[in-house]
Every structure is written in structure tokens, then in C-alpha cells.
Amino acid sequence: MSLIQRVPARYLWPVLLLLGLCFGSILGLILVTTSAQDRLEAVRETRTLEAALATSVSMVEHDLQDYAKWDDAVRHISYDFSAAWIDDNITAYLGKTQNYDHVFVIGPDGGTRYAFSNGNRSSSKLAEILGPSIQTAMAKVRAMDDRGTPIVSGFAREKRQVFVYSVAAVVPLTNKVSAPAGERHLLVIAERFDASHLANIRAKHHLPALALNLARPAPSSAALVLRDMDGNQIASVEIAFETPGTQFRREVIPGFAAIMVVAVIAALFILRQGGQSIAALTASQAKTQHLANHDPLTELPNRRVLLGRLNEAIATGNHFVLLYMDLDGFKGVNDLYGHGAGDALLREVASRLAAAAPAHSLIARTGGDEFAILCQLDVDGPGCSLAERIIASFQTTVPVAGANILIGISVGVVTSSSDALVDIDELMRRADVAMYNAKARGKNRWSDFTLELDEEHLVRKRLEQDLRIAIAENRIELAYQPIVLAESGAIVGLEALARWTHPTEGPIPPDVFIPLAEMTGLIGSLGGQVLRRACIDIKPLGIDLSVNLSPAQFWDAHLADQISAILADTGFPADRLELEITESYLLGRPQAAAAIMADLRTLGIRLALDDFGTGFASIGYLQSFKFDRLKIDKLFVKEAMGCASGRDLLVAIVALAQALGLRITAEGVETEDQAVLARAAGCHWLQGWLFGRPMPLSQLLQESSLRRETQKR
């Protein structure tokens, strides 16, 4: 009572009324549905029993029809009656294998010519076993056409024994024999229909208890009547219907009553603690709101919050600076160390941005590896000092997954101004343009937005679209530069170089469109197109082919598969292909680079280290990566002509390469004196303007001895 007294009356009686209505409705629904369930179960069991009884009759008919419609049966029964043949060919199966209680052969005159009863030949009469209705069944069979299957089946009763039987005329199956004129012989089989038969039906069809009643059933009993061929009721099968609904009701109602009591008590407690629930709901809504506005990984505000704050700043006219940032090399960290390491790196980035940003500024994560900072303009000046602090904070490595990772960040800066009101979409676009300009200028730096920069961005976007079309339409051209033997000057290979002539801008330098292809993800298609066409061009010449790999191509997980497919399609020998990579590929991720080089080497191609000496590759790298060739940068060839120390350095590089078992190519050979010096130093191959500038293959064939050498082959 104390609990009820604590519940306000204005809540108590409506709740009790509602509970009474609900539980009363549920109880009524239980009563209705369980009664319906009992009725449906009775209908199902009745129909199942009807089908089972029909099946019992049809099975007897099925067993008999193949023996009655049979040429041999006509010969040995209708023409040359043989009881022994019947024993061996009919009774052996029907009477002894199928265990039919009775097998009869009835002559044309209606007399019993053969009888088998209860396992033995007998002198039983058919009517004495199956009763008078069997005469009706035989008359129906005799009236049927021989061309069909003259057979009937049903139930019969004689005294207190019920049988299921089948009567069939002995007729030929084919036209090889014909039945004699006049009356036909009949074949009859019968099986006792008793408690054991009903037990089999019950087990097979999962029915409840069945009983055979030889007396007339009571009107209220659940029974199926069995009738003979004359339509007389001879017995009934009584069924004790299962009542799953009633059983369910008996089991459920006590528990239902207990639940109702518990529900009433629980409702009272709920009313009492309603205030606490409302408070908890308010807290949950606040948490949901937090999740909707924050990145779950870094706990920073998300893009939605950033856009909202930008909208407020624009509406109020406050001056602000927006920094839009993208990490340099984040995809490589994910690929090499896994997404768990990438997540840890993003959390560290958020921490460093928070340390660099001024107080009261908004730091947001706007995408995968993209971040933004929004702060008042008077807090940090024009934004350049904040951008410089952010870039400086990424000069130290980040410990992730057991490795110290050095990652850069490109920053775009947009400053609001009273004379250039723009909307949010334009602000974000300008920030994106400035950020991508920082990436285009070498990454890990910042760029302020200017209208001139916007024009450059639009030009770059148009150039990107034109490059995409040029690659799709196979309009990238190839130029080839000879590689010659140092001793004889004979051309032993060609280096393939991509060239693009814009339809309106004219020739676009490779140092412009190659980085553009890398930034836009077109480098894979471009590189594959260059390699395929070069293989087709150079294959008939019987010389080596050298092709440069860009960093984006080198780190493509499908590089080896792409090259293998091109070699297979073009038929170019793998041992004549040499791929050139630079030292920078090896420094950041040496283990991953070694794995890629091993995959490439299994194809049978050669690998050359290009521009050696301009990077930071150590002797250990040269030993570990096992290059086939080393290409000395043209700077060393040029400096060797100017001073003795330059010549000594060139000789030392060649000696180092020879000690490691590498073949050497000197690049940038422009004069005969440089060629003489490179030969004297021990270089095996030479390449440079002295032997030919990059030019189309047709021009190269006309100006060199390659055409004559090819014709000789």
C-alpha cells in the first residue's frame, strides 16, 4: 500500500485502467486464438487421415495393377490356367513379400479358381472372406474396357473383419496376346484393416490416437466412416484430436496472471521514477547530439559543425581565417602499417593541431585525412603564422605501430574580407584550391588563396580534363632516346619517354603533365598505355627497352600484374625490358620497396637505379636491392669535365658499381670529350644528346643505323 500511496492519483487510476484494458484484451485474444488453433488442428488431422485412408486404398490398387495387366498372366490364367505359375509369379510377391492376407483368382463364372489365405494355399471362398459387396466390385470391373486398366479398390467387411482390397481383370499389356472371348478372369488381393494398420498410419502421418469402430459411431464423436462398394457403412475410424490451443492456454494463463501482477508493480515503479527517466533521456539526447557533431575517432567537431560556425561568422560579419589541411602520404601509412596505425596517426594529428591552434579556435576533422581550423582574424593575424606553426609541428616523427613515421601536411589559407562577401560553398572551394596549390608546389607547405591562384587552379582543372581525354583517346605520343655501347657506339636500347601535345596549348612538358597524372590518379592508365605501345614499337627491332616508373606507379599494388599482362599481350620478351626507378622510392619504405622489386624481378625484367648520386641511397641499399644497372646522373658527367675531383668522383662511382656487380650507364653525354671520359672511367653504356635527342621512332629509324640493322635481322 505504501507504494500505491506514493503514486499521484491523477496518474494511478489511468495507468491501472490502461493495464486492465491491455491485459484483458490480451487474455481475450489468447482465448480466441487458442480455440481457433484447436479447430484448425482438428481440420488438419481430419484431412490428413482422409488422405492416409485414400492412400491405403490406392497403394493396394497400385500393387495389383501390374500383375493383372500382363501378357504372361493372360497366358497362364485365361488360356492355360496354372496354379503353380500363380504361386511363383503372383503370390510369391503379393502374398509373401508384400504380405497381403488374401490372393484370389476368380473365373469367368464367378467361381474361385485360386485362393491364398494367411500364408498358404486354401479353399476359401471370396465372398466368405470379403462379404457380399465384393460382387458389386467384380461387376464394375467386368463392365470396364480392356483397353484401359479395369480395376477398382475399396473397403469391405465380413462379420467383424474389415479389409482393404483391389479387384482387377486379367488383361494383356501388349498386342502380342489377346484375352479370350467371353468373360474374364479376375485377380483379387485383400489386406486386413485393423489396429496395426491404423498404428502404421498414425506413425507415418504423425496423427493422434486412432481406433477402428465396428459399431455405428455416436453423432458427437470425431470419426471418418468407411463404406463398402454398395455405399453401406461398414465401420469408422475414430480420432482423438489433439488440442494444442487448450494445452497452451493451460500453460500460459498462470504465468500470464503472474506477469500481470508484476506489470502492475512495475508500472507503479515507472511512474515513481518518471522524473529520473526524463533526466536520463535528456542526457542521452545530449550524447546523441555530440555524436552527430563530432568525429568519433578524434573527438574533434566534424564538417557539419565547421559549416555551421562558418555560416554564423559570415552572418555576423566577423573576420576570420580558415585553414584547410590534408595529410601528405597518409594512404601509404594505411597501406603499409594497416588501418589501426592510420587511426592512431589521425589521433596524433588532432593532438598536434590542438597544440598549435590558438585558444577558442575551432578544429574540425572534415574527411578521411582532411582537417580544418577556423579562428578569428585578430587572434592570429593573416593566418600565415598559424600555418607555419602547424607545418613546423609535423617536422618530428610520429611513433606508430613500432615505427617512427614522418608525415607532412599541406595547408590552404583563406581570409575573410569585408569587400568580398562569399558564401560557404565558395569559401570551402577557395580553401580547397589553396590546399591543392600547396600540394602542387611540393607538399608539406602552405598556400594563401589569391584570385590568380584560382585562375591557375581552373587552368589546372581544364588541363586535367584534357589529359584524361588524351589518355582515353590514346593521344599520348612516345619519343625514344638511344642507349649505345660505350666502346662501339652501336644502339643497344631505347628509352621510351611520354610526350603530350595539347590541341590548343601545344607541347606540355612532362614535368607538368606527369605530376598532374599522379595527383589525379591517371598515372596508372598513362603508364600502362606508354609501356604497351613501346613494347609494340620496339619488339621488331630486337633491342632493349627502358621505361621510367613514377612513384605512384611503383607503389600501385597491381603494378606487377599490369606489366605481366602487357608483356603477355604484346609478346615482348621480359629480359629485354628494363624499368628505371629513383633513389627516393627506397628511402621511406625500404622493406615494402624490396617486396615490390622482388615481384617485378620474378617476371624476368631488369631494374635500373636512375639518377644515382642525386639522392641519399647508401651502399647498403645497393647491396640489399640488387639492381641490374646503375645510371649515373648527368650532373657527375658534366662536373667530371671541369675538375680533377669531378673525374675522381665519377671513377669512384663506377668502381663502386663494378664492385657490386652492376652494369653502368652514363646519362647526359652531350660531347665527344664526355663520351671519351665516360668510356675511360669504365661505363658500359652511354646516353645523351651526342647520340640522339628524344624523337619519334620513325625519325629515329631514318637518322640512325637501326633501320639497316633491323632489316638485316
Side-chain angles (χ1 to χ4, degrees), residues 446-605:
W446 67 275
S447 174
D448 198 3
F449 176 81
T450 63
L451 294 179
E452 292 79 7
L453 184 63
D454 202 16
E455 181 62 27
E456 291 177 8
H457 178 73
L458 293 176
V459 170
R460 187 168 64 249
K461 293 297 287 186
R462 287 195 297 269
L463 200 63
E464 172 193 335
Q465 183 63 27
D466 293 340
L467 177 60
R468 190 179 303 274
I469 294 173
I471 294 174
E473 296 180 354
N474 206 22
R475 288 197 273 110
I476 301 298
E477 301 166 349
L478 293 187
Y480 296 95
Q481 186 175 31
I483 301 173
V484 304
L485 284 173
E487 296 301 327
S488 65
I491 297 177
V492 292
L494 296 176
E495 180 176 357
L497 302 166
R499 295 291 184 264
W500 178 29
T501 301
H502 193 276
T504 58
E505 302 294 333
I508 306 298
D511 59 356
V512 173
F513 74 83
I514 295 297
L516 182 61
E518 290 180 335
M519 289 179 60
T520 56
L522 297 172
I523 191 64
S525 300
L526 174 61
Q529 190 177 109
V530 168
L531 178 59
R532 182 179 296 275
R533 193 184 308 168
C535 288
I536 295 173
D537 288 348
I538 305 304
K539 180 183 176 183
L541 303 180
I543 60 176
D544 292 347
L545 170 63
S546 180
V547 179
N548 284 285
L549 285 181
S550 75
Q553 283 180 279
F554 182 79
W555 295 113
D556 187 345
H558 304 290
L559 175 63
D561 294 335
Q562 182 189 42
I563 294 175
S564 177
I566 292 174
L567 293 176
D569 292 345
T570 61
F572 191 86
D575 59 354
R576 284 170 44 195
L577 176 62
E578 183 173 88
L579 300 179
E580 298 182 7
I581 61 178
T582 60
E583 301 173 21
S584 61
Y585 301 4
L586 315 177
L587 302 179
R589 300 156 61 189
Q591 293 180 345
I596 294 174
M597 293 173 63
D599 289 341
L600 295 174
R601 193 173 285 108
T602 57
L603 300 178
I605 62 180

Side-chain angles (χ1 to χ4, degrees), residues 37-47 239 241-242:
Q37 187 178 8
D38 287 343
R39 291 193 299 272
L40 290 174
E41 181 64 19
V43 171
R44 185 196 70 81
E45 291 173 354
T46 300
R47 291 177 179 174
I239 179 169
F241 293 126
E242 292 184 349

Side-chain angles (χ1 to χ4, degrees), residues 246-327:
T246 301
Q247 182 178 357
F248 175 78
R249 187 165 59 240
R250 290 171 181 170
E251 294 176 354
V252 165
I253 286 181
F256 177 79
I259 292 174
M260 184 171 62
V261 173
V262 172
V264 172
I265 297 174
L268 297 177
F269 276 109
I270 291 172
L271 290 173
R272 180 184 175 190
Q273 298 177 358
Q276 297 177 2
S277 299
I278 293 174
L281 180 60
T282 302
S284 176
Q285 289 176 339
K287 182 178 181 181
T288 302
Q289 184 68 23
H290 177 83
L291 293 175
N293 293 327
H294 289 76
D295 169 46
L297 177 64
T298 62
E299 289 296 324
L300 291 177
N302 56 20
R303 185 182 183 89
R304 176 183 177 184
V305 175
L306 174 66
L307 296 179
R309 291 282 291 274
L310 276 173
N311 192 40
E312 292 175 4
I314 294 174
T316 56
N318 292 333
H319 290 187
F320 58 86
V321 59
L322 172 65
L323 279 70
Y324 198 72
M325 297 156 281
D326 184 85
L327 299 180

Side-chain angles (χ1 to χ4, degrees), residues 579-645:
L579 300 179
E580 298 182 7
I581 61 178
T582 60
E583 301 173 21
S584 61
Y585 301 4
L586 315 177
L587 302 179
R589 300 156 61 189
Q591 293 180 345
I596 294 174
M597 293 173 63
D599 289 341
L600 295 174
R601 193 173 285 108
T602 57
L603 300 178
I605 62 180
R606 301 194 304 272
L607 299 175
L609 180 60
D610 195 16
D611 298 334
F612 178 75
T614 60
F616 302 93
S618 66
I619 298 176
Y621 279 135
L622 296 179
Q623 290 176 317
S624 301
F625 290 104
K626 296 182 175 61
F627 288 96
D628 299 289
R629 188 194 304 263
L630 185 146
K631 299 189 74 173
I632 301 176
D633 188 73
K634 62 183 179 181
L635 175 66
F636 294 97
V637 176
K638 183 177 181 180
E639 291 184 352
M641 296 298 300
C643 61
S645 61

